[in-house]
Amino acid sequence: MSAVVIVGAQWGDEGKGKIVDLATEHADVVVRYAGGPNAGHTLVVGNDKLVVRLVPSGILQPHSVCLMGQGMVVDPAVLLTEIEALEQRGIKVQGRLFVSELAHVIMPYHVLIDGLRESGAAQKIGTTKKGIGPCYEDKVARRGIRLGDFRDLDRVRTLLAAAIDAWAPAMKAWSATLPSPDALLDDLAPLAKRLLPLITDTGALLDEAVRANKRVLLEGAQGTLLDIDHGTYPFVTSSSAVAGGACTGAGIGPSRVRRVIGITKAYATRVGEGPFPTELLDEAGTRLRDRGGEFGSVTGRPRRTGWIDLPALRYAARVNGVDGWALTKLDVLTGLDPVRVCVAYDTPSGRTADLPLTELDRCTPVFESLPGWTEPLEDVRTIDALPKNAAALVRLIEDKTGIGADIVSVGPRRDQTIVVRDIFR
Ligand code: IMP
């Protein structure tokens, strides 16, 4: 049994792309299981930088087969643009990428509604405006349109008419209008025709791979604290971003998952609205943003930055069943002194080492300060070769969470990585 889940332990943007890319060197099948083009995984290969939003990061490894599971929401135009960009770089996609026939389609009206809401809402979520929320809403309301439906365009026309009807009152309130089903189909049918060869029962392909004892990597998107059930609700995304979501979103039974790797930065970031108790609004925060390149890969928005939150990581370890950490961007902390770490919270009912999820806005983080280091880390390849104070930070994270670091990333390039343990071991 060889399926490994890679999951974000914070608010997304933990550097999953690099870790998945590294892990796929040894993976036969890479599956994305949640979210849609709200994700943006930056892959760095040599001097080349590439952002993939829908296609699993494993696409860069010529031997891997990539699956997009039924838990995802897919914008056909975005997917086709991404495929073209990959092909232009000589990366073969045909025969290597398969998309679930059960994945829901992000329609142009979902994108429109997401934008209208965000521009007028009293309580903004700060979404990526890619239509994610409205598409999942249609899915749960049981009026969504799935990729497999496009095998029968008359069926899609009927489904579009029903969905447009359902959104009509909201559109009226926004003084906006939606195109007719025919107009939508005129645009969508040619896109769907190009995608149909990729659309299949990805769950069956995954099952075949698991039975054949292939190495399967389930690649999370967003992060634990953005999960619809386990995150800082309502400031969350609309999908199941945690490791459990890999089972429903890829179509694999929990008994088939062998290990869960949690990805965390050595500090914290958040994009969009919502509580972020360790946020830094001073020079140290700006420094983290600039040194860490903390600008959204999808929207370009500057990310909010702050110190690492160990109660939050312990929580992420619990809800995901994390077996090992991949600690990323340790190099970004070089030059900061002291380095601070949130180890507990003062809540209205006393101090706790747990994450007070439902009352974060009424709690104060308790920090421990560690001496910083000035040595660059980019050329370090073993834990023992880390500067003493950087190693102490890694140890503190391991000790306070009770989970070891399997990987420590010290730079954006593939080779700028300390591999402590093989994640497929
Ligand atoms: P949505 O997923 O576009 O609906 O956005 C909901 C919330 O999740 C917003 O706060 C977004 O900024 C955040 N979000 C969604 N995807 C990502 C991601 O890949 N990285 C970081 N934040 C994300």
Side-chain angles (χ1 to χ4, degrees):
M1 202 168 55
S2 54
V4 170
V5 180
I6 291 203
V7 70
Q10 300 171 304
W11 280 282
D13 308 316
E14 296 92 349
K16 289 181 290 291
K18 171 177 167 175
I19 304 301
V20 171
D21 178 45
L22 269 174
T24 46
E25 251 181 273
H26 309 286
D28 303 301
V29 181
V30 184
V31 195
R32 244 193 80 180
Y33 59 83
N38 47 349
H41 290 176
T42 308
L43 306 176
V44 179
V45 185
N47 294 324
D48 204 9
K49 226 177 193 186
L50 177 68
V51 177
V52 289
R53 295 159 60 181
L54 283 166
V55 174
S57 311
I59 200 74
L60 291 191
Q61 299 285 353
H63 62 271
S64 326
V65 168
C66 291
L67 307 179
M68 292 169 51
Q70 55 268 53
M72 290 190 71
V73 286
V74 178
D75 185 324
V78 174
L79 180 55
L80 283 165
T81 308
E82 208 164 293
I83 290 171
E84 273 165 25
L86 287 161
E87 285 176 341
Q88 274 164 16
R89 284 162 201 255
I91 298 163
K92 188 169 171 273
V93 174
Q94 293 297 329
R96 294 188 50 223
L97 174 69
F98 300 95
V99 190
S100 172
E101 58 198 0
L102 305 179
H104 281 247
V105 180
I106 299 179
M107 293 292 175
Y109 48 87
H110 292 137
V111 181
L112 177 72
I113 292 161
D114 203 0
L116 285 169
R117 273 210 193 124
E118 281 291 311
S119 53
Q123 178 175 266
K124 283 196 191 1
I125 303 294
T127 75
T128 59
K129 300 185 188 167
K130 301 294 176 198
I132 308 296
C135 183
Y136 278 114
E137 279 170 61
D138 272 352
K139 170 179 173 172
V140 175
R142 291 163 288 189
R143 57 167 184 254
I145 300 172
R146 297 179 292 180
L147 280 167
D149 291 325
F150 276 89
R151 293 182 183 123
D152 176 354
L153 291 182
D154 286 334
R155 177 179 166 76
V156 175
R157 189 175 289 106
T158 309
L159 291 169
L160 280 170
I164 288 170
D165 263 4
W167 285 108
M171 296 311 292
K172 198 171 162 202
W174 286 312
S175 307
T177 47
L178 291 183
S180 69
D182 282 331
L184 282 165
L185 257 187
D186 282 349
D187 290 340
L188 283 167
L191 305 182
K193 193 170 167 203
R194 287 167 63 199
L195 285 180
L196 275 175
L198 311 183
I199 294 169
T200 188
D201 178 355
T202 49
L205 293 179
L206 181 56
D207 184 55
E208 220 174 88
V210 170
R211 282 176 195 280
N213 226 6
K214 296 259 168 79
R215 290 182 159 202
V216 174
L217 198 72
L218 298 148
E219 170 185 349
Q222 289 77 49
T224 304
L225 295 168
L226 288 175
D227 180 273
I228 184 74
D229 293 299
H230 303 284
T232 48
Y233 191 89
F235 301 101
V236 292
T237 190
S238 306
S239 65
S240 187
V242 296
C247 294
T248 51
I252 188 171
S255 58
R256 302 288 179 260
V257 174
R258 180 157 153 230
R259 297 196 80 224
V260 177
I261 304 298
I263 318 281
T264 173
K265 283 184 211 183
Y267 51 97
T269 61
R270 169 160 210 170
V271 200
E273 307 300 319
F276 183 12
T278 66
E279 183 167 14
L280 281 164
L281 298 168
D282 59 6
E283 207 186 303
T286 309
R287 195 188 157 111
L288 283 177
R289 185 175 310 111
D290 292 344
R291 276 197 56 124
E294 298 296 354
F295 296 88
S297 44
V298 173
T299 58
R301 290 182 288 179
R303 294 178 185 144
R304 299 157 68 190
T305 51
W307 298 117
I308 195 167
D309 182 335
L310 297 186
L313 278 193
R314 281 153 46 93
Y315 173 75
R318 167 159 73 81
V319 299
N320 292 296
V322 171
D323 295 298
W325 295 120
L327 179 66
T328 61
K329 292 192 153 183
L330 185 61
D331 53 298
V332 174
L333 293 179
T334 296
L336 278 175
D337 196 5
V339 171
R340 301 180 83 204
V341 175
C342 169
V343 291
Y345 276 96
D346 278 334
T347 77
S349 48
R351 185 163 290 189
T352 173
D354 293 330
L355 184 72
L357 186 66
T358 54
E359 49 178 8
L360 271 180
D361 46 354
R362 284 182 287 142
C363 298
T364 317
V366 178
F367 289 103
E368 247 177 52
S369 288
L370 277 73
W373 61 90
T374 52
E375 301 91 327
L377 306 186
E378 284 79 358
D379 295 328
V380 176
R381 295 292 176 269
T382 64
I383 291 284
D384 292 340
L386 279 173
K388 182 169 70 48
N389 294 346
L393 174 64
V394 177
R395 295 276 174 267
L396 182 74
I397 295 167
E398 293 184 321
D399 289 349
K400 294 270 186 201
T401 57
I403 292 166
D406 287 354
I407 293 173
V408 178
S409 172
V410 289
R413 288 204 325 257
R414 254 185 206 167
D415 63 304
Q416 291 171 325
T417 311
I418 301 171
V419 180
V420 182
R421 283 175 215 95
D422 170 13
I423 66 161
F424 280 106
R425 78 185 187 278

